[in-house]
């Protein structure tokens, strides 16, 4: 077959890489926000008074994804909550931050529970 590499200069190749990355990111944001839109509808059926949309971890560190989710929260009249960007990529820091927020609300624990690696969300309580 033909060697197409000679037809493309390096600056065009870099632009192509950038365009592909941007297109991929845009698609990911579209898909995740679409799935989340359906999740919000199901959430509202079970919890009609629910008003918070919380995002954390690596997902919250991606500025485009974070903006898309925040826009979705606004459209659904929900309160968007996310930790500061600098805390989003470190799970240990995220756990400490969540603990600090609970402590600020006066919530403490005797730590007399059995750790569970898989804990269904419907079984969690304050």
């Amino acid at each position: 077959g033909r060697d197409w590499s000679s037809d493309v200069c390096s600056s065009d190749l870099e632009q192509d890489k950038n365009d592909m990355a941007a297109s991929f990111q845009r698609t990911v944001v579209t898909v995740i926000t679409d799935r989340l839109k359906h999740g919000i509808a199901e959430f509202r059926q079970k919890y009609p008074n629910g008003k918070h949309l919380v995002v954390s971890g690596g997902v919250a560190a991606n500025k485009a994804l974070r903006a898309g989710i925040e826009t979705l929260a606004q459209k659904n009249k929900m309160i968007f909550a996310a930790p500061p960007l600098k805390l989003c990529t470190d799970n240990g820091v995220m756990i400490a931050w969540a603990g600090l927020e609970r402590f600020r609300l006066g919530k403490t624990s005797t730590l007399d529970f059995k750790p569970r690696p898989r804990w269904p969300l419907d079984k969690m309580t304050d």
Side-chain angles (χ1 to χ4, degrees):
R2 182 171 175 192
D3 179 11
W4 295 97
S5 62
S6 63
D7 294 346
V8 179
C9 68
S10 62
S11 64
D12 289 340
L13 184 57
E14 281 304 309
Q15 186 61 50
D16 288 346
K17 288 179 185 179
N18 293 339
D19 290 346
M20 286 180 62
S23 295
F24 177 78
Q25 178 172 269
R26 185 174 45 248
T27 300
V28 168
V29 170
T30 299
V31 170
I32 288 178
T33 54
D34 179 67
R35 299 303 186 276
L36 189 53
K37 180 175 62 174
H38 294 289
I40 289 170
E42 189 172 322
F43 172 77
R44 286 268 165 84
Q45 287 177 355
K46 287 186 170 190
Y47 307 99
N49 295 326
K51 57 186 174 186
H52 291 87
L53 179 57
V54 180
V55 63
S56 64
V59 170
N62 181 290
K63 291 178 185 177
L65 189 51
R66 186 180 180 120
I69 294 171
E70 186 171 10
T71 298
L72 183 64
Q74 291 169 354
K75 286 180 182 177
N76 285 276
K77 297 181 179 19
M78 297 183 84
I79 299 166
F80 176 79
L85 285 172
K86 65 183 179 182
L87 302 180
C88 290
T89 58
D90 185 326
N91 287 337
V93 171
M94 286 300 307
I95 292 167
W97 178 72
L100 179 61
E101 291 299 321
R102 289 181 60 84
F103 182 74
R104 285 181 180 162
L105 294 172
K107 297 179 179 184
T108 60
S109 173
T110 59
L111 301 177
D112 61 348
F113 61 90
K114 180 181 177 188
R116 295 170 60 182
R118 302 272 186 250
W119 204 330
L121 291 176
D122 62 343
K123 304 292 184 211
M124 299 180 92
T125 61
D126 285 8

